[in-house]
């Protein structure tokens, strides 16, 4: 049976191998506010990969510090989450690339 760290690393490796960073980089060209658009075209995929790995590491660290919550890290264009269920001995790492999303700040109500 694998340890928590082994399961998490396996999932990160799978994401890094299977996530279509090239397509994500191209899609993000349409998001004017995304940080990736300040980079040269030839550097975008590499930097997106690096940023994804860092976001996942931050989410994993956060989840390990509070296993009852969800580790979350977002740059605005990339979102990484990590969920650890210590009772079930289960973990999940996810990476999302946001091309479009609403940016509601929320509102007070009576």
């Amino acid at each position: 049976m694998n340890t928590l760290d082994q399961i998490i690393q396996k999932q990160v490796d799978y994401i890094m191998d299977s996530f279509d960073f090239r397509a994500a980089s191209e899609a993000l060209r349409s998001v004017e506010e995304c940080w990736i658009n300040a980079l040269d075209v030839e550097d975008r995929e590499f930097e997106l990969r690096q940023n994804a790995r860092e976001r996942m590491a931050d989410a994993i660290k956060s989840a390990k510090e509070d296993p009852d919550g969800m580790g979350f890290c977002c740059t605005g264009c990339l979102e990484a989450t990590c969920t650890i269920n210590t009772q079930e001995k289960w973990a999940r790492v996810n990476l999302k690339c946001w091309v479009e999303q609403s940016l509601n700040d929320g509102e007070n109500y009576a």
Side-chain angles (χ1 to χ4, degrees):
M1 178 154 278
N2 293 319
T3 67
L4 173 61
D5 287 337
Q6 289 170 326
I7 291 295
I8 287 173
Q9 187 59 55
K10 178 181 169 187
Q11 291 181 26
V12 169
D13 290 346
Y14 177 78
I15 290 167
M16 294 304 294
D17 291 344
S18 64
F19 195 91
D20 193 346
F21 288 98
R22 176 170 289 150
S25 173
E26 285 300 311
L28 288 171
R29 294 176 91 182
S30 68
V31 182
E32 291 180 25
E33 322 63 65
C34 186
W35 57 269
I36 200 168
N37 292 316
L39 302 174
D40 291 332
V41 173
E42 61 272 3
D43 296 333
R44 289 180 181 173
E45 184 180 346
F46 174 80
E47 291 297 328
L48 192 60
R49 285 179 163 278
Q50 292 296 105
N51 196 278
R53 189 174 291 281
E54 291 168 7
R55 297 298 71 79
M56 286 188 288
D58 291 345
I60 291 163
K61 180 181 176 193
S62 177
K64 285 182 173 182
E65 290 171 355
D66 181 15
D68 293 327
M70 177 174 54
F72 174 83
C73 187
C74 183
T75 63
C77 302
L78 280 179
E79 176 184 295
T81 58
C82 178
T83 306
I84 299 171
N85 182 321
T86 55
Q87 290 180 335
E88 299 291 326
K89 294 195 178 279
W90 176 88
R92 176 179 58 213
V93 178
N94 279 326
L95 180 67
K96 297 175 189 171
C97 175
W98 295 105
V99 175
E100 184 66 45
Q101 66 181 339
S102 65
L103 296 175
N104 273 329
D105 291 331
E107 297 177 46
N108 294 328
Y109 62 93

